Amino acid sequence: MTAPSFEKFLFLSVDLTAFEETDLLGTGMAHKCLARVRAACGDEVVTALLEAHRAARDDAAADAGSHARARSTGICSTGRCATGSSATNGSARWPAM
């Protein structure tokens, strides 16, 4: 299995945290953050999450409401993601930068 893509992780982080890409890169912690997520979840889960996010972003290009729907149903419907009130605030469970 190929390691999860840092670029895809960065795109997901932008959507989950609402920080700009430059802000996330500017901290110097983005690579460490991906390493923490990989260590906690494993490459298979992280890769599946990143691919679901990419698919949601692709769908959003055609339908403005589809990205939000895909995030709430497609990405977190696998049972591998946190659920509950903190799951709606992605930054609450996302590694601190």
Side-chain angles (χ1 to χ4, degrees):
M1 167 176 274
T2 306
S5 161
F6 175 73
E7 183 178 70
K8 290 177 184 177
F9 176 76
L10 196 57
F11 293 151
L12 176 64
S13 297
V14 166
D15 282 349
L16 289 178
T17 65
F19 285 107
E20 296 293 326
E21 185 176 332
T22 53
D23 293 333
L24 294 174
L25 289 171
T27 65
M29 295 296 295
H31 286 283
K32 289 181 182 180
C33 214
L34 174 57
R36 288 178 68 190
V37 172
R38 288 177 66 196
C41 301
D43 284 350
E44 182 180 346
V45 171
V46 175
T47 298
L49 177 65
L50 296 177
E51 287 305 313
H53 177 255
R54 182 202 49 77
R57 301 272 307 167
D58 289 350
D59 289 346
D63 174 5
S66 69
H67 183 59
R69 285 191 305 275
R71 279 194 346 210
S72 65
T73 60
I75 293 174
C76 291
S77 65
T78 63
R80 296 176 178 174
C81 295
T83 57
S85 61
S86 62
T88 60
N89 177 3
S91 61
R93 294 239 187 227
W94 213 237
M97 299 287 264

